[in-house]
Amino acid sequence: MSLDAKKQLLNRGIKIPCPESVWIDPQVAPDRIAPNVTIHPGCRLRGADTSIGPDCEIGAEAPATVENCQLGSAVQLQGGYFSRSVFLDRARMGSGAHVRPGCLLEEEAGGAHAVGLKQTVLMPFVTLGSLVNFCDCLMAGGTSRKNHSEVGSAYVHFNFTPHQDKATPSLLGDVPAGVLLDQPPVFMGGQGGLVGPAQVTFGAIVPAGVIVRGGIAAPGLYVPPAERKLPSRDYRPGRYSRIDRILPANLRYLGNIIALRAWYDHIRARFMLADPFQAACHAGALKCLAEILEERLRRLDELAGKMPESIKLHGATPADDFGGKETLLQQQRLYERWPAMRKQIEEIAGQNWPPDSELTAALSGMDGNNYIEAIQSLAPAARKSAHAWLTRIVAAVSETC
């Protein structure tokens, strides 16, 4: 973008304290940057899909690159790299962030400095500390910025296995209850980790320094089970053990992504489509969710495709060391059934899934209102209706197993 074009932005009320140090791709449409946006020195904006709503601030702590992202109002991206992701109102990321494609940060969600994300969904108020790697997760919980789900500093979601697969997405909270903004927060103490795929229930509290394996089913303070001291044994990448936890966890995650997309289609749209910057965020969110869905299916394609080799590797190994004959049957079933399961999941994802009448009646007349206030004001009957509707979607996907 030429200096003259930047002057046009300045004349529209966009604040660029040092225009010579800011690079704006000619593909960026000037009318997709709202008045009163501040772009600090050293920043780069690129991509025709970039949209920045009013009162946003880019690069206050360090230079920032924003590439084909959609920002709501009063978003703060303090420094780092942000690509093909969506940040709803008052979301915030500290400097040194590395936000790769497919991320959706809802209202007042965000992280401190040096946070790495990819295909991650943070629902309203969720907060990540510093030095966090939290890819391939969905996290919900909490009712406000003062009562929010939290991931402590120096935390890792382990999403890559020795078998070199990433069929490892994790749910912290869930969509059917999380969208209602009335659940107790999840607390994951710092300098710890979560081994995917896992599910952590609302209200779980994990002390600092703990590695969570297998998920947490009960709220309250989590005490990790004592680890058995096993002798070293032969281990070959590619030779899987039981997969009866991996597949259901992946299907549950897929169901939650499809449920969240239905929520955006039918509920979020009421609050976002009237304003051009919010509408851009709505379209971007749907694109992110579609990308996450396709990525998760692709990772399951890869997992299923590895089963014949795993079964072959088991041939020279006593089966009892890896769960017995049931292990081999699970792997054979996945390999044989996955193409039909994938087709069924795609059909479920392609359905309209309209909400129940109780919920739509409760939201009647709220179009364009404050989203957080509207959802938190729903009566118990409407909440029950919303939860049942989204739970049906999750169950439909889970039952393909």
Side-chain angles (χ1 to χ4, degrees):
M1 186 176 285
S2 68
L3 190 58
D4 287 341
K6 290 178 187 176
K7 288 180 179 178
Q8 293 178 22
L9 293 178
L10 292 169
N11 291 335
R12 291 180 54 238
I14 295 158
K15 303 171 186 176
I16 310 178
C18 186
E20 297 84 356
S21 72
V22 173
W23 183 75
I24 300 178
D25 180 359
Q27 290 187 322
V28 176
D31 61 357
R32 289 173 68 90
I33 303 177
N36 211 36
V37 167
T38 301
I39 305 172
H40 289 281
C43 291
R44 292 180 286 179
L45 307 183
R46 58 186 186 224
D49 290 335
T50 295
S51 173
I52 303 177
D55 302 314
C56 291
E57 187 173 22
I58 311 297
E61 296 177 348
T65 296
V66 178
E67 175 183 71
N68 285 317
C69 292
Q70 297 79 45
L71 282 59
S73 65
V75 173
Q76 297 182 33
L77 303 182
Q78 305 283 46
Y81 176 72
F82 309 88
S83 178
R84 293 191 354 240
S85 294
V86 178
F87 304 84
L88 301 188
D89 296 356
R90 301 176 300 284
R92 183 186 185 279
M93 292 295 293
S95 62
H98 191 239
V99 180
R100 289 181 283 168
C103 292
L104 170 58
L105 278 69
E106 296 191 328
E107 288 87 351
E108 301 187 43
H113 76 275
V115 170
L117 304 177
K118 172 183 66 67
Q119 295 203 336
T120 298
V121 178
L122 302 182
M123 297 182 75
F125 319 125
V126 173
T127 300
L128 311 180
S130 300
L131 305 170
V132 170
N133 191 315
F134 211 61
C135 300
D136 301 329
C137 292
L138 183 150
M139 189 170 190
T143 59
S144 69
R145 281 293 299 126
K146 291 185 177 180
N147 179 43
H148 61 267
S149 287
E150 171 103 10
V151 175
S153 295
Y155 200 90
V156 176
H157 176 241
F158 298 105
N159 67 330
F160 188 71
T161 76
H163 303 301
Q164 300 184 6
D165 76 76
K166 284 192 174 184
T168 52
S170 290
L171 282 171
L172 295 92
D174 61 33
V175 168
V179 295
L180 298 174
L181 308 178
D182 61 356
Q183 294 299 303
V186 176
F187 180 85
M188 310 296 286
Q191 205 164 353
L194 176 66
V195 180
Q199 182 165 13
V200 176
T201 192
F202 291 109
I205 301 171
V206 180
V210 171
I211 304 295
V212 177
R213 307 173 190 274
I216 302 173
L221 184 65
Y222 173 73
V223 178
E227 293 191 8
R228 294 182 298 162
K229 294 183 178 179
L230 297 175
S232 298
R233 64 173 182 174
D234 180 43
Y235 184 92
R236 294 188 198 176
R239 184 174 58 190
Y240 285 78
S241 57
R242 297 176 66 94
I243 59 170
D244 55 346
R245 183 180 69 87
I246 296 174
L247 182 59
N250 275 267
L251 295 179
R252 188 164 51 242
Y253 194 88
L254 283 165
N256 274 266
I257 294 300
I258 295 171
L260 186 56
R261 194 172 71 179
W263 184 259
Y264 269 82
D265 281 337
H266 296 284
I267 307 304
R268 280 280 192 175
R270 293 172 171 266
F271 300 90
M272 300 180 76
L273 296 187
D275 175 86
F277 296 101
Q278 295 294 325
C281 287
H282 184 268
L286 290 176
K287 186 178 292 186
C288 284
L289 294 172
E291 186 173 328
I292 292 171
L293 178 65
E294 183 56 36
E295 172 72 3
R296 292 297 105 214
L297 290 171
R298 185 174 70 85
R299 295 298 183 180
L300 284 172
D301 286 343
E302 293 175 355
L303 178 67
K306 291 182 177 184
M307 292 301 99
E309 180 64 17
S310 176
I311 293 169
K312 180 180 177 181
L313 290 171
H314 275 283
T317 305
D320 288 344
D321 287 354
F322 292 87
K325 293 182 179 179
E326 179 59 28
T327 292
L328 303 183
L329 289 173
Q330 289 174 9
Q331 294 180 16
Q332 187 65 32
R333 284 197 297 267
L334 174 60
Y335 177 70
E336 293 174 350
R337 294 180 56 199
W338 173 244
M341 290 173 60
R342 174 173 179 143
K343 182 178 179 181
Q344 191 175 354
I345 292 167
E346 289 174 333
E347 290 173 353
I348 292 169
Q351 294 180 33
N352 185 30
W353 294 105
D356 296 338
S357 58
E358 291 89 346
L359 178 58
T360 55
L363 291 170
S364 178
M366 291 189 182
D367 296 22
N369 288 7
N370 180 284
Y371 170 77
I372 299 291
E373 293 177 0
I375 297 304
Q376 291 188 326
S377 70
L378 288 175
R383 292 177 176 279
K384 184 177 179 180
S385 172
H387 188 270
W389 164 48
L390 298 175
T391 298
R392 283 197 300 274
I393 300 174
V394 176
V397 178
S398 296
E399 289 166 5
T400 62
C401 185

